[in-house]
Amino acid sequence: MANIMESASIEDIALYLQREDGIDAASAQTAAQQVVNGFIDMRNKGIIKGWYFDELGHLELLPTDIALSIIERQK
């Protein structure tokens, strides 16, 4: 995928949460772990393939083909 700048580690997500939500480092680390746990759950269920920061620095999810087909059918 051409627009992926980097994958998003727990540390990257914690920094993102600190910047976007203005929370302290310890709270951001805890929240980032919860976010990643949720992403792993979605990946294990076949909803997403992964997560990343786009070229604008936004945290994005990479849906599976199955998830995309479900979304398209609902439009």
Side-chain angles (χ1 to χ4, degrees), residues 3-70:
N3 64 340
I4 296 177
M5 296 294 290
E6 61 182 324
S7 62
S9 68
I10 292 173
E11 292 76 20
D12 294 333
I13 294 170
L15 289 172
Y16 174 82
L17 292 171
Q18 281 184 269
R19 184 183 72 234
E20 295 297 315
D21 295 344
I23 59 178
D24 63 86
S27 298
Q29 188 69 29
T30 300
Q33 184 64 60
Q34 292 172 342
V35 168
V36 170
N37 289 346
F39 290 168
I40 290 169
D41 185 50
M42 287 190 284
R43 184 179 61 197
N44 290 343
K45 291 177 179 174
I47 299 168
I48 63 171
K49 295 186 238 180
W51 53 93
Y52 62 94
F53 284 105
D54 68 10
E55 65 275 1
L56 299 175
H58 300 123
L59 188 56
E60 298 287 339
L61 301 177
L62 185 60
T64 61
D65 293 338
I66 293 169
L68 285 175
S69 69
I70 292 169

